[in-house]
Amino acid sequence: MKRTLAALTTLAAAAGGILAGAPAASAADGYCTTSSGISRGAYWVVVPTTSGGSTSCVMGSGSSGEAVDALQAALILCYGMDVGGRDGVYGAKTEAAVRSLQRATGQTADGVYGPNTRNVVEWRWTGNTGGGKCERL
C-alpha cells in the first residue's frame, strides 16, 4: 500500500510539473494553430489565430506551422530580428526574439507569444496597391 501511494504521489508530482510547464493560456482562446488575413481599409495582414479564427491565442517553443510563420514575418520585417529564418518553427531564435520584444515593451520576458504580446507586436500591413507599413492590430 505504501509503495502504491508513493508511486501515485510521484506520478501526480510529475504530471503537475508537466502542466505547470505548458504555456499560460489563461487569457487566450487556445493555441495558435493557423493564420488568418485581416483587412483594414486598403491594407491587409496575416496574423496567428486559433483554428476558430481567434487572434487571442498562445504559442511557444516547439510550436510550428503557419501561425509561427506569420509571427516570424512580423519580427523580421518590422523589427529586423534574427529568428533563424522564416521557417515556421518556434525555435530558440524565435523565442529569443519574442523575449527581446517583450523586454522592449515592458512585458514579462518569458518568450511565449500570447494575447499580451500580440497587443504590442507591430505587424507588416501590405497595401492593396503595393507598399506596406508596420503597426499594431
Side-chain angles (χ1 to χ4, degrees), residues 14-111:
I18 290 169
L19 293 176
S26 59
D29 292 333
Y31 287 96
C32 305
T33 57
T34 189
S35 61
S36 298
I38 297 174
S39 62
R40 184 186 299 157
Y43 291 90
W44 60 272
V45 65
V46 176
V47 297
T49 60
T50 64
S51 59
S54 173
T55 60
S56 181
C57 58
V58 65
M59 63 183 160
S61 184
S63 297
S64 63
E66 60 187 77
V68 177
D69 181 71
L71 174 62
Q72 289 175 328
L75 294 171
I76 293 168
L77 297 170
C78 295
Y79 297 95
M81 293 182 167
D82 177 11
V83 297
R86 194 170 160 188
D87 59 5
V89 176
Y90 205 117
K93 287 189 173 186
T94 298
E95 183 176 346
V98 170
R99 282 181 197 275
S100 177
L101 175 66
Q102 290 169 328
R103 274 191 298 275
T105 57
Q107 297 183 53
T108 300
D110 60 7

